[in-house]
């Protein structure tokens, strides 16, 4: 069995749906950090069967909107001095800004340099629409 040590100070993103850990890593831009980041894929989970986990040493905040968009089942645990100090569950964001891009070639965002803004249109199915052209974003 693989053993990953606990962190003294930082964040643990737990209960990420198996297979989504790398997408979380990319969209949170964790590759730009100059700190230790551990990605554990397909860890055993009694609740989900399998899950992904990301441990980030030294970082104390992340964009919960990005995380909520990718996986609103994840849990963000803040660790200070080796102890759990806070546990958050991200919610599905109502609005996404510059997280995803519109695929419509006729959309103004394809021609002009404007923010990519998507609004939640259906919470049950996690569907978003471009604010400018109404193009639906499909995962």
């Amino acid at each position: 069995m693989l053993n990953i040590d606990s962190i003294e100070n930082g964040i643990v993103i737990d209960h990420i749906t198996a297979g989504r850990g790398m997408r979380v890593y990319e969209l949170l831009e964790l590759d730009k950090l100059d700190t230790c980041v551990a990605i554990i894929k397909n860890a055993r989970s009694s609740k989900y069967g399998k899950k992904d986990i990301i441990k980030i040493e030294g970082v104390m905040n992340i964009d919960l909107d990005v995380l909520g968009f990718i996986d609103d089942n994840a849990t963000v645990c803040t660790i200070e001095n080796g102890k759990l100090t806070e546990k958050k569950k991200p919610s599905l964001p109502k609005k996404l800004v510059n997280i995803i891009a519109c695929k419509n070639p006729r959309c103004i965002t394809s021609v002009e340099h404007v923010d990519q803004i998507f609004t939640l249109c259906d919470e049950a199915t996690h569907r978003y629409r471009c604010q400018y052209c109404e193009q639906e974003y499909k995962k």
Side-chain angles (χ1 to χ4, degrees), residues 30-107:
L30 299 178
D31 59 323
K32 295 180 180 174
L33 294 177
D34 188 28
T35 186
C36 184
V37 178
I39 302 171
I40 303 141
K41 292 181 65 174
N42 297 317
R44 281 186 229 116
S45 169
S46 57
K47 191 174 185 179
Y48 300 110
K50 288 182 180 180
K51 65 180 179 179
D52 290 356
I53 305 167
I54 299 177
K55 294 183 177 189
I56 312 162
E57 187 118 48
V59 173
M60 291 303 191
N61 60 358
I62 59 166
D63 189 340
L64 290 175
D65 282 348
V66 170
L67 187 58
F69 166 67
I70 301 167
D71 193 348
D72 57 338
N73 290 320
T75 307
V76 179
C77 302
T78 303
I79 311 294
E80 293 177 13
N81 299 318
K83 301 215 184 313
L84 175 67
T85 58
E86 186 177 18
K87 197 172 194 175
K88 295 180 190 172
K89 192 150 178 69
S91 60
L92 200 58
K94 303 291 184 212
K95 183 190 265 187
L96 299 172
V97 180
N98 296 327
I99 296 173
I100 54 178
C102 186
K103 303 274 191 231
N104 181 358
R106 294 184 310 247
C107 182

Side-chain angles (χ1 to χ4, degrees), residues 3-5 13 33 47 68 77 95 97 126 131 137:
N3 187 20
I4 306 285
D5 288 340
I13 306 172
L33 294 177
K47 191 174 185 179
C77 302
K95 183 190 265 187
V97 180
H126 296 203
Q131 177 175 301
Y137 175 80

